[in-house]
Amino acid sequence: RVFSLDAALTLGATAVGSAAAGQLATALLAAGALELAAYRATLFGAAAIGATSFLFLVLTRTDTTWRRTRGSAAALGATRADAAADRGAARWVAVLREPAALKLAACAALVSLGAGLFAPYQNLFFVEELGAAPAVYGWLSAAATLTRLVATLAAPGMARRLGTGRAIGWTQLTSVPLLLLVGFGPGLGVVAPAFLVRGALMNMAAPLHVSLRMGVLPAAIHGAGNALITLSDQVVRTGSTWLGGQAIQHAGYRPGYAASAASYIASAVLFLLWFGREKDATRR
């Protein structure tokens, strides 16, 4: 519930930002600004707002919060011991010997492979291929974020009924037909609803991913395990984004959607095989 609430708050703020960005760009264009200047101004505004987030991190004291909620000096000492065990080269050796960490990293890499092929260019696809104005895409993106927010709040209940692993795998798998409808749909009237629902299905289980990691990875390698998963995600996404741009330039947008669907299916099937029996986020 905590991870889902955190994700829901983030999504709510993202929805406001998406709608504001589309309106700001449109207003600047209407005022006579050059297209490049309008988009630059929007990006600079986003950067300025986002930079203020460091203030909350500076004000956060992990040990103080932990001591207040748990109140146990012995438990706090154990937590610090775990943190000490999570330092140095030994942690990476331990992570690379942990099957669960490698499996989670492989699934994350497959998702990133698929996402990089189309997600960074989705706004261009809507504008260039479907004829949506920037403001329309801004509102549509905001609506998609709100849809994800509602779905994210429903994720813990789904995990209780299906199990955490199955909830993650099946929501990802059922989003694939809608991804293909987005990429190959006949027009904005068909693609827009599919876009809203697909994003909700694919991303609603994101907090469950975090919760499951905490459960299946040993406590001593939580930090290194999450670093490995993030590293596999970002490295693969970097290459995939470049590859997606090249594919769009030579073959258009739609091959990227088809390849992404195949990558998502592979990731979901492997996740169900490896973690489908995880009924909750508690390591036994």
Side-chain angles (χ1 to χ4, degrees):
R1 291 193 185 96
V2 170
F3 289 125
S4 295
L5 179 60
D6 172 69
L9 291 172
T10 301
L11 290 170
T14 303
V16 174
S18 296
Q23 295 303 305
L24 177 59
T26 300
L28 290 173
L29 290 171
L34 296 176
E35 184 176 13
L36 183 59
Y39 288 127
R40 278 178 174 170
T42 304
L43 289 173
F44 281 130
I49 295 172
T52 62
S53 63
F54 86 95
L55 292 171
F56 297 96
L57 295 175
V58 171
L59 295 173
T60 300
R61 295 292 300 273
T62 305
D63 285 356
T64 302
T65 304
W66 205 94
R67 188 183 300 111
R68 185 172 64 249
T69 55
R70 296 293 184 179
S72 171
L76 182 58
T79 300
R80 288 173 173 165
D82 285 341
D86 196 26
R87 291 196 296 266
R91 62 181 178 179
W92 290 107
V93 175
V95 166
L96 295 175
R97 290 178 178 176
E98 175 58 47
L102 298 177
K103 291 174 181 178
L104 287 168
C107 290
L110 284 170
V111 170
S112 296
L113 175 63
L117 293 174
F118 79 94
Y121 312 102
Q122 197 157 233
N123 57 337
L124 296 176
F125 173 73
F126 272 80
V127 173
E128 295 181 356
E129 294 290 315
L130 301 177
V136 172
Y137 181 76
W139 284 114
L140 187 60
S141 180
T145 305
L146 290 174
T147 305
R148 285 173 54 192
L149 188 157
V150 175
T152 297
L153 292 175
M158 180 180 296
R160 284 194 297 271
R161 291 191 295 271
L162 299 179
T164 303
R166 288 180 182 175
I168 294 171
W170 282 111
T171 51
Q172 180 176 320
L173 196 59
T174 53
S175 75
V176 172
L178 293 168
L179 174 65
L180 292 173
L181 187 56
V182 170
F184 295 90
L188 189 61
V190 174
V191 171
F195 171 73
L196 297 178
V197 180
R198 186 215 75 85
L201 286 172
M202 183 65 191
N203 296 286
M204 67 181 293
L208 300 182
H209 271 282
V210 180
S211 181
L212 184 135
R213 289 181 200 176
M214 298 297 99
V216 300
L217 295 179
I221 60 168
H222 274 175
N226 278 284
L228 176 66
I229 296 166
T230 302
L231 183 65
S232 64
D233 169 44
Q234 296 300 317
V235 169
V236 173
R237 191 180 295 263
T238 299
S240 178
T241 300
W242 175 85
L243 184 62
Q246 295 297 310
I248 291 169
Q249 185 175 356
H250 293 92
Y253 292 93
R254 288 175 175 80
Y257 281 92
S260 297
S263 184
Y264 284 173
I265 290 172
S267 174
V269 169
L270 288 175
F271 201 94
L272 288 169
L273 289 174
W274 288 334
F275 301 104
R277 295 183 180 180
E278 289 292 334
K279 295 183 178 180
D280 55 43
T282 303
R283 183 178 176 86
R284 291 179 173 82

